[in-house]
Amino acid sequence: MPQHQPRQQMPAEKERCSTVRANMERASISFGDLAKHYHVSKTAITFALTGRYSTERTDTWLTQFEFYLSKQLGVRYIQPYFNDLD
């Protein structure tokens, strides 16, 4: 179940989320596109990227997002940006 208040994300988890967002922008993929691909709501995508799900569930979603984005971008894997796009 999603939490009403986002939990404090670990630094590595925060970095993965920001990397996913940066690569979504790079590939011109919206939250709606990702939601449509996984047959879930945009809210579920938002919850996964903001820490409203458990650590395990967030990790599962991030792994799926990274795999999808790597295929869309034509790369082997998604490398972290370490917030260099801010």
Side-chain angles (χ1 to χ4, degrees), residues 31-78:
F31 278 48
D33 297 333
L34 212 51
K36 186 176 179 182
H37 177 76
Y38 287 107
H39 306 288
V40 296
S41 69
K42 288 188 276 187
T43 304
I45 304 299
T46 303
F47 281 7
L49 293 174
T50 57
R52 291 189 183 249
Y53 287 139
S54 67
T55 303
E56 297 80 21
R57 188 168 185 182
T58 298
D59 181 59
T60 300
W61 275 115
L62 289 174
T63 300
Q64 290 182 33
F65 297 161
E66 290 163 346
F67 179 76
Y68 175 73
L69 289 167
S70 70
K71 296 300 174 198
Q72 294 300 309
L73 292 168
V75 297
R76 272 186 156 170
Y77 56 90
I78 299 296

Side-chain angles (χ1 to χ4, degrees), residues 7-32:
R7 63 181 167 71
Q8 186 68 31
Q9 292 180 310
M10 301 300 291
E13 190 177 38
K14 269 189 197 177
E15 193 56 52
R16 286 179 74 193
C17 289
S18 66
T19 298
V20 165
R21 284 191 203 96
N23 280 293
M24 285 174 65
E25 186 174 327
R26 193 171 147 210
S28 300
I29 295 172
S30 68
F31 278 48

